[in-house]
Amino acid sequence: MHVPDGFIDLPVSAASGAVAAGAVAVSLRGARRELDERTAPLAGLVAAFIFAVQMLNFPVAAGTSGHLLGGALAAILVGPYTGVLCISVVLLMQGILFADGGLTALGVNITDMAVVTTVVSYALFRALVKLLPRTRRSVTVSSFVAALVSVPAAALAFTFFYWIGGTTDIPIGKVLTGMAGVHVLIGIGEATITALTVGAVIAVRPDLAYGARGLSAPLKLRVGGELVDAAPASGPEPVAARSTRTLWATGLVTALVLAGFVSFYASANPDGLEKVAADQGIDRKTEPHHTADSPLADYGVRDIDDARISGGLAGVIGVGATVAVGSGVFWVVRRRRTAADTVAAGGNA
């Protein structure tokens, strides 16, 4: 789904850049309400994990592969505003370091892959969890459905961008049919990865998953004919209260293993957008990437001939860079919230 330079004309690319900048600005403000001392460290890890999993293209049809977009996963784990920022950081790292996704198309990619997937998936997720019983299973099922829908939604968003700003004269009906068909299949993979990850997190620390907050309703007792909340049980903390540091370290090691080792076995077939673009001729005016001479271009380290070592090292560097930049961004956002809270408390004193 990474749109390269040349697919969309400059006026529409510029307009989408303005939309993306506005969405990021709104998300920076909204993330202050979502991030706290527990979730702020997790947000940088979520960005790095999504970067790693996006390297794992999986086959979906003859000659076509797909990979995680991550909007639903990020929104459910750390909140929709923070989710937009997570995917934006990933796209920025991919575009600058790895020549993946055009720089003039960065606004298109952020709007499509960060904003559309996050907004659509989280809105659907919230609607489902309100309708279903508040259980871990319902949260996992809701995350599956939300992620499944988010991918064809992103495909439709790209089709809209192409309709108003495509640089090749391809009938929009063919583009729509090609994009929608293959991305429904990719959505199944997205949904599976999202549900498994969300299920794993809420099984260990449901308090850290934004979409699972308040999952366990307090025990009710009937007193004088009325239901009241029972006092919390005393005793040792349950398994779900394990150290955040342990969860963070486990997640980081998992991301490093996926990007540094498992990625070597990913499908080499073109992803959904690449396949449709080649089949329909959308890619006829693709422009060279502005960072094509990057030492990490195409997810390999220059001058290292062994493909396994080159790709693995590039993946590890990408995870490290993404977690560093992402954690820095979310640390600043969290600091601003703390400063704002301090000022507000002082004014009310």
Side-chain angles (χ1 to χ4, degrees):
M1 189 66 74
H2 294 75
V3 179
D5 295 322
F7 276 24
I8 307 298
D9 64 26
L10 288 179
V12 173
S13 295
S16 65
V19 172
V24 169
V26 170
S27 297
L28 284 168
R29 182 175 294 273
R32 296 182 191 178
R33 300 190 297 270
E34 294 173 346
L35 296 171
D36 55 30
E37 65 279 358
R38 298 173 303 167
T39 56
L42 183 64
L45 175 63
V46 168
F49 181 80
I50 289 172
F51 172 90
V53 179
Q54 283 196 3
M55 294 182 66
L56 309 180
N57 282 48
F58 48 84
V60 294
T64 309
S65 70
H67 64 72
L68 182 80
L69 299 185
L73 177 61
I76 295 167
L77 288 182
V78 292
Y81 293 109
T82 309
V84 169
L85 298 179
C86 283
I87 306 301
S88 298
V89 168
V90 172
L91 292 171
L92 187 63
M93 293 296 98
Q94 290 170 332
I96 293 176
L97 296 179
F98 299 94
D100 188 11
L103 295 186
T104 61
L106 185 60
V108 173
N109 285 322
I110 289 177
T111 303
D112 191 7
M113 295 178 64
V115 179
V116 170
T117 59
T118 300
V119 171
V120 169
S121 64
Y122 196 72
L124 180 55
F125 174 81
R126 293 303 306 173
L128 290 173
V129 295
K130 287 182 179 180
L131 293 173
L132 299 174
R134 291 286 290 173
T135 64
R136 292 179 182 177
R137 177 173 296 179
S138 67
V139 170
T140 304
V141 170
S142 298
S143 67
F144 182 95
V145 176
L148 175 63
V149 173
S150 71
V151 178
L156 292 177
F158 168 79
T159 304
F160 173 75
F161 280 123
Y162 181 81
W163 178 50
I164 61 176
T167 56
T168 52
D169 187 19
I170 308 298
I172 193 62
K174 290 185 176 181
V175 178
L176 176 61
T177 301
M179 290 294 292
V182 70
H183 283 90
V184 168
L185 298 177
I186 294 174
I188 297 173
E190 176 100 10
T192 302
I193 295 170
T194 300
L196 289 174
T197 305
V198 170
V201 172
I202 64 176
V204 179
R205 290 293 302 269
D207 58 306
L208 291 181
Y210 187 87
R213 290 182 176 180
L215 185 62
S216 299
L219 178 65
K220 299 287 186 178
L221 297 177
R222 185 174 297 277
V223 178
E226 296 183 358
L227 290 176
V228 298
D229 292 344
S234 59
E237 290 289 333
V239 175
R242 291 175 181 170
S243 169
T244 303
R245 184 179 301 176
T246 300
L247 177 63
W248 194 93
T250 302
L252 180 60
V253 170
T254 301
L256 290 170
V257 170
L258 291 175
F261 177 73
V262 181
S263 62
F264 180 77
Y265 301 97
S267 173
N269 291 329
D271 66 22
L273 176 59
E274 293 171 334
K275 179 65 173 175
V276 172
D279 289 346
Q280 302 298 335
I282 297 173
D283 60 354
R284 287 201 299 264
K285 294 188 178 180
T286 303
E287 298 175 0
H289 200 282
H290 292 81
T291 62
D293 59 349
S294 165
L296 298 173
D298 297 324
Y299 297 93
V301 178
R302 183 188 299 168
D303 299 329
I304 296 181
D305 296 329
D306 187 295
R308 186 190 300 270
I309 297 175
S310 178
L313 184 56
V316 168
I317 293 172
V319 168
T322 304
V323 76
V325 172
S327 297
V329 169
F330 299 124
W331 180 81
V332 171
V333 172
R334 171 62 184 152
R335 289 270 295 181
R336 289 187 176 182
R337 171 182 172 174
T338 302
D341 291 345
T342 301
V343 171
N348 294 330

